[in-house]
Amino acid sequence: MLSSDVPADPTAYGDLQAFSDLDLDDIAVAAAALCRAPIALVSILDGDQLWFSARFGTDQPRGALANSGCAAVIALRAPVVIPDMMADPDTRKNGLVCGVPGLRFYAGYPLFTAENEIFGTLCVVDLETRPEGLSPQEHNGLGALARQAMRLMGMRRETVAQERRLAAQQIRRERATRQARQADAERRRAVEKYAIQQAAGAAGGVGIFEYDLGSGDIAVSPEVCRIIGVPVREIVTAAEWVMCVHEEDRAQIPVLAQLLDGSAPLKLEYRIIRADDLKERWILRQGVLDRDEDGRPIRLIGTIQDITPERNAISRLTTLLAVGDALRTATTRQQALDEACQLLGNRLDVQRVGFSAVSVRDELFTVERGWCAPDVPPIAGSFSFQSFRRVSNFLRSGAVLILDDLSNPSWMHEEQEACRAVQVEAQIVVPKMDHGELTGCLFVHSATPREWTLDETSFIRMAADRVFTALDEWDAEARQEIVNHEILHRLKNTLSIVQSLAHQGFRGVDDQGPLTTFTSRLVALSAAHDLLMRRNWQSTDLASLVCGVLTPLGVESRVLVSGPFLKLGPDTATSFSMLLHELATNAMKYGALSVPEGKVSLDWTIADTDGGTVMALCWRETGGPAVTPPQRTGFGVRLLKAGLGRYGKTELRYASTGLCADLTAPTLSLATI
């Protein structure tokens, strides 16, 4: 943060000036805007001083570390929020806090190098106190900007290092053509340049190497030794280097002949196994070939950089996308859980991933589905809270359980036996909370102690959120299906009661024709409701509705149906079912379907017009008796003429070949009404 002390001499900062960048200024502006603060700084630590490589809201280029908010961030190596700097025993001594301009609020995030060393801070400062501190969104955003600032400075360091390498190569080329009396002076300059490169490379986590193609020796910087996990030395042989490469990636390493003929790739990404801790790491190797006067390659000069965090971030994002796809495309709840757990297990290289339903009332964990490594036994069934009392109490608070080593926390001693019975030495458990109550949990088990990284815990929490959301959707659909079945059952009971009442009302009537007509119309209405209920009363399509109406009448084989997919809304589907039923029963009584040789053609088309997209449906009867317009207008004729209401148009023609009915309506109204 700002300081009232006398600024340090600019020459004391040396290469820190290389980290000035317009993009860093943009990050300071973004941090100020995100946190609604008048001042934002990107500060680089230099001894007891802070150099502001980017700033917004102030022109002060540097300040003292003591009595600043940044001192707390650097000491704790963690984000720090000071709601009132006058209330803080350290920062209230700062001249800019107790004097002009009267700084009050501070929030800062640490900047870490690739070696996890503190490099500086990204902070925002306000002239007003903020008892509420930062919101979760502001916390997350400030952290993301801090990481982006560090990446920008890392790329800047790499650019500077590359420029220096190119300059050194030019010096070596010029040295070969100069006279012998200049050789010693040129060699000294090259050594000085190389020392600068080593220092810059170590600061940015970049190692420098020089591979002599003649001797096979590789001159390396101390940073290269750190990356591959060997004691610091000046020379590594080509054979030793290849032994560090992951067995599956050794085929990528170019042989000497490829380097000599120029066919070897100069940029490679491959895995190594560190010699000291046997951990797998991804490295980026970049280089250039140095040639002699005749143009023959004599050495490969380049850099080595550990890119494992970047590779892991990409892999985590890819896995999250795959989990989302698996959850979206799964056809059952069980399939969704199985595929999601397997993806997480393979990505995290753990022994077991699964989901457990939780009944707080019964105090039971019930493992629904899970994935486990081939050499690990699966777990299933129910486990009581009593066996995992500490864990269950912890999860009921809504907090995520992160356990690196079962032996370390004293409060886990009473549950060690139960955990080890299922081969658990380290675990992460994410609770699923519904209205403040624990209803389930996603668990990740490791059979050996494991130091969970922040990236891994964040990844597991994001994956759990996706799984929980998908499970909620599955449960909601299941509940809705039960409700729909109950509604359909009651609706059918209601229609049955209506049908019984009609039969009782027509019991003394000799002509049972009206009763038969009324009953068949109830059946058609019920068929439309069946289709809509199967689709949550949202919509159906015309082809399915036609089949549902014609099949109960037994005439589906005599009606030639054709037309594209056409979505129908609930009200439209009901109207269509009544229209189609009236046309079919009329044809069975008086038209083409009343004789064996008669047929009906039912087709519809969709066309674009000036007024929008319109559906046109045609009903054509052929092969039946001659038809004439009815002498009186009954309910059936009125229903046909009413068609689809005010949004549609119906034309009835009594041709000599049979009844012709044409219905038109906008497709938008059909789908939404």
Side-chain angles (χ1 to χ4, degrees):
M1 62 162 280
L2 299 176
S3 171
S4 60
D5 294 344
V6 178
D9 184 75
T11 59
Y13 290 88
D15 278 352
L16 290 180
Q17 296 290 346
F19 297 118
S20 296
D21 193 288
L22 292 178
D23 289 336
L24 283 178
D25 289 338
D26 290 343
I27 285 182
V29 173
L34 172 69
C35 298
R36 301 167 285 108
I39 300 172
L41 301 169
V42 177
S43 306
I44 296 179
L45 180 64
D46 185 43
D48 61 351
Q49 295 288 313
L50 292 170
W51 179 71
F52 308 140
S53 62
R55 51 191 178 271
F56 173 82
T58 178
D59 294 329
Q60 187 168 334
R62 60 189 66 83
L65 179 63
N67 298 328
S68 67
C70 297
V73 177
I74 292 170
L76 296 174
R77 297 172 59 86
V80 170
V81 176
I82 305 176
D84 186 355
M85 300 179 73
M86 280 297 293
D88 185 273
D90 292 324
T91 57
R92 67 185 180 188
K93 302 175 184 177
N94 191 296
L96 296 177
V97 175
C98 59
V100 177
L103 303 179
R104 288 296 178 267
F105 172 77
Y106 172 89
Y109 259 74
L111 302 177
F112 291 104
T113 67
E115 299 81 20
N116 201 31
E117 296 176 352
I118 196 75
F119 188 75
T121 67
L122 170 65
C123 65
V124 295
V125 188
D126 202 344
L127 301 178
E128 302 290 336
T129 62
R130 294 192 188 180
E132 74 281 5
L134 295 180
S135 68
Q137 292 81 5
E138 290 169 340
H139 264 295
N140 294 337
L142 199 59
L145 289 173
R147 293 189 292 274
Q148 181 64 17
M150 203 61 224
R151 283 193 287 269
L152 287 173
M153 289 189 282
M155 289 188 290
R156 179 58 182 163
R157 282 198 296 269
E158 184 176 352
T159 301
V160 171
Q162 179 67 14
E163 292 171 353
R164 288 171 177 163
R165 287 193 295 273
L166 294 176
Q169 181 182 6
Q170 182 64 28
I171 290 173
R172 285 192 292 272
R173 288 179 178 175
E174 294 175 355
R175 185 182 58 205
T177 61
R178 292 178 181 175
Q179 299 178 0
R181 58 186 177 83
Q182 297 176 333
D184 290 341
E186 294 292 343
R187 188 176 301 108
R188 283 194 298 271
R189 285 196 292 270
V191 170
E192 292 172 359
K193 289 287 185 182
Y194 188 72
I196 294 173
Q197 293 173 18
Q198 286 189 338
V206 179
I208 303 169
F209 71 89
E210 186 173 320
Y211 177 23
D212 189 318
L213 302 184
S215 66
D217 291 337
I218 306 174
V220 295
S221 69
E223 188 65 17
V224 171
C225 297
R226 187 201 66 79
I227 291 174
I228 65 176
V230 299
V232 175
R233 66 178 86 165
E234 294 183 357
I235 299 296
V236 175
T237 66
E240 289 176 321
W241 184 270
V242 172
M243 289 302 298
C244 291
V245 179
H246 194 288
E247 186 176 353
E248 296 178 3
D249 293 349
R250 289 178 185 173
Q252 299 184 41
I253 307 303
V255 297
L256 180 61
Q258 292 176 301
L259 291 169
L260 293 175
D261 64 18
S263 63
L266 298 180
K267 181 177 180 180
L268 283 175
E269 292 183 8
Y270 54 87
R271 292 169 293 173
I272 63 168
I273 303 297
R274 288 171 49 87
D276 51 0
D277 56 15
L278 300 181
K279 288 185 177 180
E280 178 183 297
R281 307 294 292 178
W282 277 93
I283 65 168
L284 169 63
R285 191 217 73 184
Q286 301 183 89
V288 292
L289 283 172
D290 187 23
R291 302 176 184 270
D292 60 16
E293 296 179 357
D294 298 325
R296 292 188 295 267
I298 56 175
R299 63 179 61 88
L300 176 67
I301 304 167
T303 61
I304 294 293
Q305 185 176 4
D306 188 334
I307 59 169
T308 305
E310 291 81 358
R311 294 283 303 209
N312 287 342
I314 294 173
S315 180
R316 285 191 292 270
L317 177 59
T318 303
T319 302
L320 283 177
L321 294 174
V323 168
D325 291 340
L327 295 173
R328 186 176 59 257
T329 58
T331 57
T332 65
R333 176 191 174 98
Q334 290 73 20
Q335 180 188 358
L337 281 174
D338 287 344
E339 294 183 2
C341 291
Q342 182 176 359
L343 287 167
L344 295 177
N346 290 333
R347 170 64 193 88
L348 293 166
D349 192 23
V350 293
Q351 281 64 55
R352 189 184 293 114
V353 179
F355 176 80
S356 175
V358 177
S359 173
V360 175
R361 184 186 64 183
D362 299 330
E363 296 190 343
L364 286 178
F365 294 94
T366 302
V367 179
E368 287 192 12
R369 308 294 293 185
W371 168 92
C372 59
D375 56 342
V376 176
I379 58 175
S382 298
F383 300 84
S384 76
F385 280 14
Q386 191 62 31
S387 301
F388 300 95
R389 183 174 61 86
R390 294 281 190 174
V391 171
S392 60
N393 290 339
F394 191 91
L395 294 178
R396 290 174 71 173
S397 70
V400 177
L401 175 65
I402 303 174
L403 183 64
D404 293 335
D405 189 342
L406 184 64
S407 303
N408 280 340
S410 58
W411 58 272
M412 280 294 294
H413 288 171
E414 62 185 83
E415 299 182 14
Q416 286 183 3
E417 183 178 351
C419 289
R420 285 175 174 151
V422 290
Q423 297 188 15
V424 176
E425 291 291 339
Q427 63 178 326
I428 291 181
V429 185
V430 184
K432 183 179 184 294
M433 308 295 292
D434 290 331
H435 304 291
E437 181 176 336
L438 178 66
T439 61
C441 61
L442 181 78
F443 56 84
V444 178
H445 290 169
S446 173
T448 58
R450 173 168 177 160
E451 185 176 350
W452 302 102
T453 66
L454 179 61
D455 287 339
E456 286 174 335
T457 56
S458 299
F459 167 71
I460 293 171
R461 294 187 69 168
M462 288 188 290
D465 288 342
R466 285 165 169 76
V467 172
F468 294 163
T469 300
L471 293 181
D472 287 341
E473 292 176 356
W474 279 105
D475 293 341
E477 289 180 4
R479 289 192 297 270
Q480 185 62 50
E481 186 175 354
I482 293 173
V483 171
N484 286 347
H485 280 299
E486 181 63 20
I487 292 174
L488 182 59
H489 176 69
R490 297 190 180 189
L491 178 62
K492 287 186 175 181
N493 286 343
T494 301
L495 293 177
S496 297
I497 293 172
V498 172
Q499 188 175 4
S500 297
L501 291 174
H503 277 282
Q504 292 177 9
F506 281 90
R507 182 177 297 173
V509 178
D510 295 334
D511 185 5
Q512 294 293 306
L515 175 61
T516 303
T517 301
F518 177 75
T519 301
S520 63
R521 286 171 180 164
L522 282 180
V523 172
L525 187 61
S526 176
H529 287 175
D530 280 345
L531 288 172
L532 291 170
M533 291 300 292
R534 286 198 293 268
R535 305 186 185 188
N536 293 332
W537 205 260
Q538 296 297 316
S539 64
T540 185
D541 65 279
L542 182 53
S544 299
L545 188 65
V546 169
C547 180
V549 171
L550 296 181
T551 300
L553 298 176
V555 296
E556 69 276 8
S557 61
R558 300 180 61 187
V559 180
L560 180 62
V561 180
S562 65
F565 177 84
L566 181 62
K567 182 179 178 181
L568 302 178
D571 290 346
T572 306
T574 303
S575 299
F576 250 123
S577 69
M578 300 301 293
L579 283 170
L580 292 171
H581 179 268
E582 201 63 36
L583 287 169
T585 55
N586 183 72
M588 293 172 65
K589 291 180 179 180
Y590 314 111
L593 300 182
S594 65
V595 296
E597 61 273 14
K599 292 189 177 297
V600 175
S601 170
L602 173 61
D603 63 81
W604 60 91
T605 58
I606 300 174
D608 292 328
T609 65
D610 294 338
T613 306
V614 175
M615 181 260 341
L617 181 143
C618 299
W619 173 281
R620 297 288 184 270
E621 299 182 19
T622 58
V627 296
T628 58
Q631 297 299 318
R632 64 183 183 86
T633 303
F635 174 77
V637 175
R638 290 196 302 272
L639 179 63
L640 291 175
K641 288 185 177 181
L644 300 173
R646 61 190 180 92
Y647 294 100
K649 180 181 178 183
T650 304
E651 292 185 4
L652 298 177
R653 291 184 292 109
Y654 298 91
S656 58
T657 56
L659 176 65
C660 300
D662 296 303
L663 287 79
T664 58
T667 57
L668 181 60
S669 65
L670 295 177
T672 56
I673 297 176

